[in-house]
Every structure is written in C-alpha cells, then in structure tokens.
Amino acid sequence: MTEWRVTKLLNGIDVSRHQGDINWELVKPNIDFAIIRAGFGKNNIDAKAVRNVGECERLGIPYGLYWFSYALTPEMAKREAEYLVYFIGEHKPEYPIVYDFEYDTITHATKNGVSISRDFVLRCTEEFCRTLEEHGFYAMFYTNLDYYWRYYQASAVAEKYDMWYARYADSPGRAVTLWQKSDSGKIPGIKGRVDLDQTEMNYPFIIKRAMLNNWR
C-alpha cells in the first residue's frame, strides 16, 4: 500500500465546548483521532479548546483543529486563520487545520447585510486556507452535501484543498479525505451525543513527512 493511506479506516470524533468536560482517558480506546474546535469568529477561543488540546497531547491522541467562521469578508476570513495560528502557537497537531463555513455563518452574514454567493464562499475559504499554508499548516475545509453542490463543486478550492465532508448516511457518496458520518454518536467519556468521523488518510505520516503543523 502507499504510506499515505492506512490499511483500515480510522475512526474519530469532533468536539467543542458543547461536549463539556470530556473524560479523554475513557475516550482514547474508542478513537484514532479527534478534531477539536479551537474557536469561532473574531478571536473567540472555544471554552474547552485549551483543555481538549492538552488532554489529547497528554494521552497521545492525534488531533486536528477547526475554526467556525463568521467572516463577513475574505479579509475577515484571513484574520480568523491568523487567530487560529496564534492559538496553535508551538503545538503540533497531527491532523489538518480546518475552515468551517456553515448555515449559521450565512445567518450571521445575512443579518449583517452581506449577500452570500458562490464567489464569496470560495474567496473566504481560499483566504483562510492560503493563510494557514503560508504559516506552514495543512489546510482543509468543511462542507456538507448541500454546500458542496451550491458553492464548492468543480472549484479550484475543492481541487486544491482536502475536504471534510458531512453526510449522515451509510457512506459519503463520493471520494472524500475526511468524512463526518454522524452527529449522534455515543462514546464512553462523553456525556450526550458527539459527531463521528472517519478517514483512510494517514494524516500523521503526511503532515510529519512534509514538516507541516510545526513538525519541523
């Protein structure tokens, strides 16, 4: 096999403050990786981000990070990426760093008089991901079936960057690098539901080999 793929699918979760204080020692035997919300909007650090990162590092759980966007312009998306870079500091995530543009992003923009178009979404995504790459990070963007068809299909952004794809079904229905397959998972150590993810990509190998995400 090629080294950048794994022999079995890797299972993970994505978490934020909504999962409360996670018992990561109970979680660890049930996952291969985690994607942690670092923050959202204008320099708002997720209330559990520092703890979640610290626990994953303490226990040796590979993790990536995402930032929930409330950008009203591509320049604001760039600044969100810079906030995220600042948060990462000298940490060494082994999974991608993700731009998260969702329905609430559009609701916020509409309330602030911003009309959302395909060009707007692509420019914001490009600014965010390009800024991460300029700082030596492995960039990815998050989307779902609806937004893929509406904004990202057949775009240069979708060709250039890996996609974290949300579709709650038996399969993603397309070739994707990271699949969010459920929003109602149950994992020991987490109260309530948690998103479940899956990948066949050996991201720790890919990122370390390329000396990205501070793995220099």
Side-chain angles (χ1 to χ4, degrees), residues 56-198:
C56 284
E57 291 179 345
R58 179 177 72 86
L59 295 167
I61 301 171
Y63 69 90
L65 297 163
Y66 74 93
W67 193 273
F68 195 105
S69 180
Y70 284 108
L72 301 177
T73 65
E75 175 60 31
M76 289 178 71
K78 173 183 173 64
R79 291 200 295 270
E80 288 179 335
E82 291 169 346
Y83 301 145
L84 180 48
V85 168
Y86 178 78
F87 172 81
I88 295 170
E90 297 303 313
H91 292 288
K92 297 180 177 182
E94 295 178 61
Y95 273 72
I97 313 301
V98 187
Y99 179 66
D100 186 5
F101 184 98
E102 298 194 40
Y103 294 105
D104 200 45
T105 313
I106 291 184
T107 299
H108 175 74
T110 302
K111 288 179 179 178
N112 283 274
V114 176
S115 178
I116 302 300
S117 65
R118 173 180 162 93
D119 180 68
F120 174 88
V121 175
L122 292 176
R123 288 173 61 204
C124 286
T125 306
E126 174 65 29
E127 278 298 301
F128 187 96
C129 291
R130 181 182 58 79
T131 301
L132 286 174
E133 288 191 330
E134 287 175 352
H135 286 85
F137 293 98
Y138 194 109
M140 172 184 274
F141 69 96
Y142 174 92
T143 193
N144 58 27
L145 178 63
D146 177 20
Y147 278 16
Y148 176 78
W149 287 111
R150 194 180 301 186
Y151 301 119
Y152 290 110
Q153 184 192 20
S155 69
V157 166
E159 288 291 325
K160 183 176 182 181
Y161 300 107
D162 284 7
M163 181 172 64
W164 180 13
Y165 183 67
R167 188 184 184 199
Y168 308 145
D170 293 333
S171 75
R174 67 180 66 253
V176 296
T177 47
L178 180 60
W179 173 35
Q180 187 184 72
K181 64 180 186 177
S182 174
D183 64 351
S184 57
K186 291 291 291 182
I187 296 287
I190 297 178
K191 296 177 181 178
R193 305 294 181 176
V194 65
D195 295 343
L196 301 178
D197 302 280
Q198 199 169 72

Side-chain angles (χ1 to χ4, degrees), residues 13-85:
I13 56 175
D14 58 273
V15 300
S16 69
R17 66 175 178 84
H18 298 294
Q19 278 69 50
D21 286 330
I22 296 170
N23 185 333
W24 285 98
E25 291 184 353
L26 293 180
V27 169
K28 182 179 178 179
N30 299 281
I31 64 169
D32 298 301
F33 66 92
I35 308 295
I36 297 167
R37 186 173 78 163
F40 55 94
K42 187 178 180 181
N43 205 19
N44 299 296
I45 303 302
D46 185 283
K48 300 299 180 182
V50 172
R51 181 180 186 278
N52 287 336
V53 167
E55 286 294 278
C56 284
E57 291 179 345
R58 179 177 72 86
L59 295 167
I61 301 171
Y63 69 90
L65 297 163
Y66 74 93
W67 193 273
F68 195 105
S69 180
Y70 284 108
L72 301 177
T73 65
E75 175 60 31
M76 289 178 71
K78 173 183 173 64
R79 291 200 295 270
E80 288 179 335
E82 291 169 346
Y83 301 145
L84 180 48
V85 168

